[in-house]
């Protein structure tokens, strides 16, 4: 039975909600604690990376818990709802840090809330993506739902990317007044903006849980932690995609962590927030259109693997152009739209492709290991996304510390030009970090993928045929029952 419009819409809304909270954390938690509250950049980098190392153990274990869950509502939806409620609460607390805490108190608050945020995000993210192979058929239906979910996730990410800085400023001004300092405005703005996002998150996931019904699956023996790690390691294609996604995410998130600093301290100007918002509006729109239009068009002429190479090449070109343009006159933000088109469009399609490839490794693992480890395989997607953001946050933090990209905004007016507070050498270091490092990461990703990945469309047809034959054999052995 094919998926209906209500199911597709409900699943898509869930993706919007989860990426609203994810992008707010991934793109602004470093800026909030380091630039707004004054926590050491290196301390924040260590916290963000340490939380991801912790997730190396937490995510697969959560996958096991989901796999073992049996309730009247299924094994995915209960954890999806529990994780959403707790994650929404932690998100608000994370951006509601009391600014009067001591320096050590701020570091402790950041560490505790961010680690708890990662744990609770895992609780809902793993069951969300694990539902794809559980209630879709391999092929067009799975690709279609994956494209829709990734497109909707892109909408959630784009909304945060586009509106956060402007809305935070508006909310902050409304609460503390237009005469308050830039720091006071951002502290109040981030707190109440996080509450709005947390509320939307709960509403959207609730719609998903109500309208998505997972298909019944054959019960199987629940594996131990040791067996699960063995299953992951033995699935060489899953591990290839995991490594590739980590490299891509490090590249993308290094830039996304630093782009706000680029506009504030390099591009500069009293109205840097407006330029930042305009840039992200263009980039976010391109990313969504790439998932919804560009990917389907390219897919008509190319295999998924060829589209993957096209996108990686596009992103590398975009970063190269961006690095060159930063040495020219940047008085007009529109000059940055050229590299933004190459980078954001590539990232949009790559988000779809990596999920499709990862879903296909479930079928590959079923053929090779006689297990359909949806939850475990997709727990790796959650982990690698957060690992990529953690490593990139550390890279960004080191860059901020080395290049002294921090200005005291306690007494600065909201119209202060922060670009005058840093040196030209600091700006150069920032530019190199947000362009050269991503290029290196993407080139390595191309090499790893080309050398190790074998799940072509022809190979997937062979795998699906073998799985159908196995099922028929089992049915015949059981007398057709």
């Amino acid at each position: 039975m094919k998926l209906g419009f209500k199911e597709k819409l409900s699943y898509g809304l869930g993706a919007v909600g989860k990426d609203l909270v994810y992008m707010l954390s991934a793109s602004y938690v470093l800026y909030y604690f380091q630039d707004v509250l004054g926590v050491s950049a290196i301390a924040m980098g260590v916290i963000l990376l340490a939380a991801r190392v912790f997730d190396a153990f937490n995510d697969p274990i959560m996958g096991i818990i989901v796999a073992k869950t049996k309730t009247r509502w299924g094994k995915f939806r209960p954890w999806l709802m529990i994780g959403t409620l707790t994650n929404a609460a932690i998100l608000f607390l994370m951006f509601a840090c009391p600014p009067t805490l001591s320096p050590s108190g701020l570091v402790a608050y950041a560490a505790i809330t961010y680690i708890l945020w990662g744990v609770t995000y895992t609780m809902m993210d793993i069951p969300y993506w694990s539902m794809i192979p559980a209630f879709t058929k391999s092929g067009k239906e799975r690709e279609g739902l994956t494209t829709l979910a990734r497109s909707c996730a892109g909408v959630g990410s784009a909304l945060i990317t586009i509106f956060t800085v402007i809305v935070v400023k508006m909310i902050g001004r409304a609460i503390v007044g237009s005469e308050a300092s830039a720091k006071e405005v951002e502290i109040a703005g981030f707190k109440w903006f996080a509450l709005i996002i947390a509320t939307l998150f709960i509403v959207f996931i609730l719609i998903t849980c109500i309208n998505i019904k997972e298909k019944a699956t054959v019960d199987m023996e629940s594996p131990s932690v040791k067996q699960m790690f063995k299953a992951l390691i033995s699935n060489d294609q899953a591990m290839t995609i995991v490594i590739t996604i980590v490299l891509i995410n490090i590249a993308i998130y290094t830039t996304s962590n630093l782009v706000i600093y680029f506009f504030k301290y390099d591009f500069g100007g009293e109205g840097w927030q407006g330029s930042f918002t305009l840039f992200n509006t263009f980039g976010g729109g391109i990313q969504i259109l790439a998932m919804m239009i560009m990917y389907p068009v390219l897919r008509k002429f190319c295999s998924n693997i060829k589209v993957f190479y096209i996108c990686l090449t596009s992103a590398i070109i975009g970063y190269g152009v961006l690095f060159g343009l930063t040495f020219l006159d940047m008085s007009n933000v529109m000059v940055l739209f050229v590299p933004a088109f190459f980078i954001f469009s590539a990232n949009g399609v790559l988000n779809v492709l990596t999920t499709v490839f990862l879903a296909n490794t479930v079928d590959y693992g079923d053929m090779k290991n006689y297990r359909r480890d949806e939850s475990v395989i997709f727990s790796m997607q959650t982990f690698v996304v957060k690992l990529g953001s953690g490593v990139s946050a550390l890279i960004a933090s080191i860059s901020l510390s080395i290049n002294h990209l921090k200005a005291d905004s306690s007494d600065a007016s909201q119209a202060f030009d922060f670009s005058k507070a840093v040196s030209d050498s600091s700006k150069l270091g920032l530019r190199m970090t947000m362009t050269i490092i991503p290029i290196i990461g993407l080139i390595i990703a191309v090499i790893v993928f080309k050398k190790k990945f074998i799940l072509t469309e022809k190979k997937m047809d062979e795998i699906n045929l073998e799985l159908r034959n196995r099922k028929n054999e089992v049915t015949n052995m059981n007398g057709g029952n």
Side-chain angles (χ1 to χ4, degrees):
M1 185 176 179
K2 291 185 178 180
L3 295 175
F5 175 76
K6 183 175 72 172
E7 288 81 7
K8 293 179 180 179
L9 177 62
S10 299
Y11 195 75
L13 283 176
V16 173
K18 62 186 287 304
D19 267 54
L20 284 174
V21 299
Y22 182 79
M23 190 53 65
L24 181 60
S25 175
S27 295
Y28 292 101
V29 70
L30 174 62
Y31 176 78
Y32 172 73
F33 280 104
Q34 185 267 337
D35 206 76
V36 177
L37 296 181
V39 176
S40 163
I42 296 297
M44 282 306 303
V46 171
I47 289 171
L48 298 181
L49 183 59
R52 301 292 72 84
V53 172
F54 175 77
D55 282 338
F57 301 95
N58 177 51
D59 286 8
I61 291 174
M62 190 64 217
I64 294 170
I65 294 173
V66 171
K68 289 184 176 182
T69 298
K70 294 180 181 179
T71 73
R72 58 182 295 188
W73 301 283
K75 63 181 179 180
F76 299 115
R77 289 183 295 166
W79 286 112
L80 185 56
M81 202 66 238
I82 293 170
T84 295
L85 292 172
T86 53
N87 187 255
I90 297 299
L91 180 78
F92 172 69
L93 290 175
M94 188 163 61
F95 284 98
C97 178
T100 55
L101 290 175
S102 65
S104 59
L106 288 172
V107 171
Y109 191 96
I112 293 170
T113 55
Y114 189 70
I115 290 174
L116 287 176
W117 180 87
V119 171
T120 54
Y121 187 83
T122 296
M123 289 170 62
M124 59 75 48
D125 193 55
I126 289 174
Y128 179 85
W129 291 114
S130 297
M131 294 173 76
I132 292 181
F135 73 104
T136 61
K137 297 178 181 178
S138 178
K140 291 185 178 180
E141 183 177 75
R142 182 176 297 173
E143 285 191 19
L145 186 69
T146 300
T147 302
L148 173 66
R150 279 301 178 185
S151 298
C152 290
V155 171
S157 298
L159 290 174
I160 290 297
T161 303
I162 294 168
F163 293 111
T164 297
V165 170
I166 293 297
V167 175
V168 163
K169 185 177 180 180
M170 291 173 56
I171 294 175
R173 279 181 171 179
I175 293 174
V176 300
S178 58
E179 300 301 320
S181 68
K183 178 178 180 178
E184 292 171 328
V185 168
E186 288 189 307
I187 288 174
F190 270 110
K191 177 180 179 179
W192 298 111
F193 181 67
L195 180 62
I196 294 172
I197 297 303
T199 303
L200 290 173
F201 179 34
I202 294 172
V203 172
F204 289 163
I205 293 295
L206 181 61
I207 293 173
T208 301
C209 290
I210 291 173
N211 293 318
I212 292 294
K213 303 295 188 294
E214 57 196 82
K215 294 179 180 178
T217 55
V218 178
D219 290 336
M220 65 178 73
E221 181 185 353
S222 297
S224 64
V225 174
K226 181 179 179 180
Q227 288 172 326
M228 278 296 194
F229 275 106
K230 183 178 180 180
L232 280 172
I233 294 172
S234 64
N235 191 329
D236 58 291
Q237 294 306 289
M239 295 306 296
T240 297
I241 293 301
V242 163
I243 294 171
T244 303
I245 295 175
V246 168
L247 291 168
I248 293 173
N249 285 342
I250 290 174
I252 298 298
Y253 288 133
T254 295
T255 304
S256 66
N257 273 311
L258 292 174
V259 70
I260 189 171
Y261 293 92
F262 171 76
F263 275 93
K264 184 174 183 178
Y265 293 110
D266 193 344
F267 190 89
E270 296 178 1
W272 69 269
Q273 294 99 332
S275 298
F276 177 73
T277 299
L278 184 60
F279 175 82
N280 284 327
T281 300
F282 174 81
I286 289 297
Q287 182 167 312
I288 294 170
L289 290 175
M291 288 186 281
M292 299 179 67
I293 299 176
M294 185 179 296
Y295 172 66
V297 171
L298 288 173
R299 192 67 179 86
K300 290 181 179 179
F301 303 98
C302 305
S303 67
N304 275 328
I305 291 179
K306 287 183 179 179
V307 174
F308 188 75
Y309 287 131
I310 290 172
C311 290
L312 285 175
T313 302
S314 173
I316 292 171
I317 292 173
Y319 280 115
V321 173
L322 176 61
F323 182 65
L325 288 178
T326 55
F327 292 95
L328 303 178
D329 179 23
M330 292 189 297
S331 57
N332 190 335
V333 68
M334 291 187 181
V335 73
L336 300 175
F337 285 4
V338 175
F341 173 81
F342 286 101
I343 296 170
F344 280 97
S345 61
N347 188 39
V349 178
L350 287 172
N351 280 335
V352 177
L353 286 174
T354 52
T355 305
V356 171
F357 290 151
L358 201 59
N360 286 340
T361 66
V362 174
D363 292 332
Y364 173 79
D366 190 2
M367 179 202 70
K368 183 178 180 181
N369 303 321
Y370 291 83
R371 294 196 60 88
R372 289 193 63 81
D373 297 313
E374 294 105 333
S375 295
V376 179
I377 295 298
F378 277 87
S379 74
M380 295 305 294
Q381 172 168 280
T382 306
F383 165 61
V384 298
V385 168
K386 291 191 288 187
L387 176 62
S389 67
V391 173
S392 63
L394 180 61
I395 293 172
S397 299
I398 294 172
S399 174
L400 294 174
S401 180
I402 292 175
N403 295 304
H404 307 292
L405 287 169
K406 175 72 176 72
D408 186 6
S409 58
S410 298
D411 300 318
S413 69
Q414 296 171 41
F416 182 73
D417 186 355
F418 289 95
S419 65
K420 297 178 180 179
V422 296
S423 65
D424 290 340
S425 60
S426 295
K427 295 176 183 178
L428 176 60
L430 173 64
R431 296 171 188 176
M432 293 183 68
T433 305
M434 61 186 290
T435 54
I436 303 301
I437 289 179
I439 288 175
I440 294 172
L442 292 173
I443 290 175
I444 297 174
V446 172
I447 295 172
V448 171
F449 186 83
K450 185 175 180 61
K451 185 177 181 180
K452 297 291 186 179
F453 194 70
I454 63 170
L455 297 184
T456 62
E457 292 175 16
K458 180 180 178 181
K459 182 66 174 179
M460 286 307 302
D461 288 339
E462 294 174 357
I463 290 172
N464 289 322
L465 177 61
E466 181 171 342
L467 292 177
R468 285 196 297 271
N469 291 336
R470 282 185 191 174
K471 184 176 180 180
N472 291 334
E473 290 176 5
V474 173
T475 302
N476 292 333
M477 289 175 62
N478 293 330
N481 296 322

